[in-house]
Amino acid sequence: MSRMIWSGASWSGREKHCAYLNLGDGTFANVSAVTGLDYPDDARALTACDWDRDGDLDLWIKNRTGPQLRFLRNQGKSGNFVSLELRGTTCNRDAIGARVELSAGGRTYVQTVCAGSGYLAQSPARLHFGLGDATKIDRVQVRWPGGVIETIAGLSVGHHYQFVQGADKPVRLPERNVNLAGKKPAESSPPLAAARTVLRRPVPLPDDVPHADRAKGKATLITFWANWCSNCQAELTEFTAHNEHLTAAGVNVVPISLDKLEDAPKARRVAKRIKMPYPVRFITVPEQVLFTALLRNVLDIHDAMAIPLSLLVDADGAVRIIYTERVSVEQLIADAGAPKRDRSSYPGRWYDSPSRGYADIVDDLKQAKLRDWARFYLELDRAARNH
């Protein structure tokens, strides 16, 4: 079960968001698509509030998958409303448990102030009443926690109010102009830095890992690519143009193609077109298992290897930096020449051991019957536990 969840599955995933319209006769209509709520996200939490203070309820949705947070602004045509925020004096300050009955337009609306409104979610305690075409509020009654009942007079539709327990009348809250329009993007912006993860504890690779080509005193960039990946090809083109600079900086580039066997001719044509000075090498099944297990252990990536992806291996044969986007030649040379960082290189006081466990990598390699590599990481794991 845990392996299934960590692989990206969910206990109750792939359930589309649903929105239902109360038809007023005891039935509901599914209006998910019409309202634009039917995202394929794996949602977990929902809160409703009048975020832009325009009289209707907007939604915040928290997802297990990305995007992890969505704001859905309600811009539909809505009727009249009134919102009421209660403050307790003899009961709890937030008036949790207070029950409000509001009569308007021949209907009675009932709401209760709750301390929790959903799974992992909490909508504001302010009560929001949608009144439709009603233009006048006939009666508002509050039953406070403890049983005290008060009647509120003087509420008008289209406004936000606060009412304090025992007060003579409600206080109308000032209008607030909320501008949710995004800022105009700048005419030009600096390029984004490559997504890079510098490992506090580098992960050693077995000495017999194919294609590592570790040379004494040199760093190795293992970069994964494919014939269909335009970003990868652009990266390899830049490496090719600056190969002399990389070599002088002590960086040995080792491209490994993820292309399938039937696509090998396409990969070779790409390499020939960009005049790549590096051998065209293809990943093997054992390597796929090893690098996938490494990414799962270090970055908690449980999907297939996504490219562009590169691993900077230091002269000792350990993965020190992982790039999950294109990396520039300048960044690569700077990283290769940067001094190694150990525990003492980071500010602050350390309360835990900087050691890394490799049990998950060992399990994956055992399942793939890669016993020698599994034994390699098992010894590392035991050493880390005894450290």
Side-chain angles (χ1 to χ4, degrees):
M1 175 64 74
S2 62
R3 181 175 291 274
M4 180 182 70
I5 295 173
W6 282 114
S7 66
S10 169
W11 285 352
S12 57
R14 298 187 180 277
E15 297 179 2
K16 287 187 177 180
H17 299 175
C18 294
Y20 294 93
L21 176 66
N22 188 345
L23 300 180
D25 58 359
T27 62
F28 294 82
N30 189 333
V31 293
S32 307
V34 176
T35 57
L37 281 168
D38 58 343
Y39 289 100
D41 309 333
D42 195 359
R44 287 297 182 268
L46 170 70
T47 62
C49 61
D50 187 2
W51 189 261
D52 53 5
R53 301 293 290 274
D54 65 349
D56 52 33
L57 292 177
D58 309 298
L59 300 177
W60 287 96
I61 301 178
K62 174 68 174 67
N63 300 310
R64 186 189 65 85
T65 53
Q68 294 193 352
L69 186 65
R70 281 191 186 273
F71 172 62
L72 302 180
R73 185 181 183 185
N74 186 352
Q75 294 182 294
K77 183 178 180 181
S78 58
N80 290 322
F81 80 99
V82 67
S83 75
L84 183 61
E85 180 182 295
L86 299 178
R87 283 289 178 264
T89 55
T90 62
C91 69
N92 65 85
R93 180 181 181 275
D94 293 325
I96 303 300
R99 185 174 184 269
V100 177
E101 294 186 6
L102 183 149
S103 299
R107 292 187 175 185
T108 299
Y109 305 86
V110 180
Q111 290 195 48
T112 301
V113 181
C114 300
S117 55
Y119 175 68
L120 297 177
Q122 170 62 62
S123 295
R126 179 182 292 116
L127 302 179
H128 185 99
F129 294 89
L131 306 179
D133 296 330
T135 58
K136 179 183 177 182
I137 298 174
D138 302 318
R139 176 175 173 271
V140 179
Q141 187 181 78
V142 180
R143 180 184 292 273
W144 298 93
V148 177
I149 299 177
E150 289 186 281
T151 299
I152 306 177
L155 297 184
S156 301
V157 299
H159 300 293
H160 304 271
Y161 292 91
Q162 183 186 76
F163 184 70
V164 179
Q165 184 181 12
D168 295 333
K169 59 181 181 179
V171 176
R172 178 175 162 181
L173 299 177
E175 300 297 328
R176 186 178 68 179
N177 182 20
V178 180
N179 182 16
L180 297 182
K183 295 182 179 179
K184 183 179 179 181
E187 294 297 331
S188 61
S189 57
L192 297 176
R196 54 193 286 274
T197 302
V198 181
L199 306 187
R200 186 182 71 178
R201 297 289 292 181
V203 179
L205 292 177
D207 291 335
D208 61 340
V209 171
H211 312 324
D213 286 356
R214 292 190 294 274
K216 186 176 181 180
K218 286 190 175 183
T220 299
L221 182 76
I222 301 178
T223 182
F224 301 96
W225 67 288
N227 77 88
W228 44 264
C229 177
S230 57
N231 280 327
C232 302
Q233 294 179 32
E235 183 181 60
L236 288 174
T237 300
E238 184 180 1
F239 291 164
T240 298
H242 297 86
N243 185 49
E244 292 185 2
H245 296 88
L246 291 170
T247 302
V251 180
N252 184 35
V253 178
V254 178
I256 300 180
S257 174
L258 301 183
D259 286 296
K260 298 179 180 179
L261 181 61
E262 58 268 24
D263 293 327
K266 296 180 181 178
R268 292 191 175 93
R269 284 197 293 268
V270 169
K272 184 177 181 180
R273 175 173 55 81
I274 65 178
K275 299 180 180 180
M276 192 171 72
Y278 319 110
V280 179
R281 307 182 180 186
F282 298 90
I283 195 166
T284 64
V285 173
E287 294 169 9
Q288 183 94 33
V289 173
L290 173 62
F291 290 120
T292 301
L294 187 150
L295 292 172
R296 184 181 300 119
N297 178 267
V298 176
L299 297 184
D300 201 27
I301 296 177
H302 296 265
D303 298 327
M305 295 171 62
I307 49 179
L309 171 68
S310 301
L311 311 177
L312 183 61
V313 183
D314 60 26
D316 296 327
V319 177
R320 186 157 60 89
I321 301 178
I322 299 178
Y323 307 96
T324 51
E325 290 181 3
R326 281 179 56 184
V327 54
S328 66
V329 170
E330 292 80 3
Q331 181 70 65
L332 182 55
I333 292 177
D335 287 341
K340 297 179 182 178
R341 296 176 65 89
D342 56 15
R343 178 172 177 172
S344 61
S345 302
Y346 294 86
R349 182 180 300 175
W350 289 86
Y351 291 94
D352 63 338
S353 171
S355 61
R356 178 190 300 280
Y358 298 95
D360 292 337
I361 295 181
V362 173
D363 289 342
D364 289 342
L365 295 177
K366 280 184 176 179
Q367 290 188 18
K369 298 182 179 181
L370 300 173
R371 296 182 178 85
D372 291 338
W373 289 352
R375 190 177 300 111
F376 173 81
Y377 285 102
L378 180 60
E379 293 176 358
L380 291 175
D381 189 69
R382 288 173 176 171
R385 294 176 184 274
N386 295 329
H387 179 70

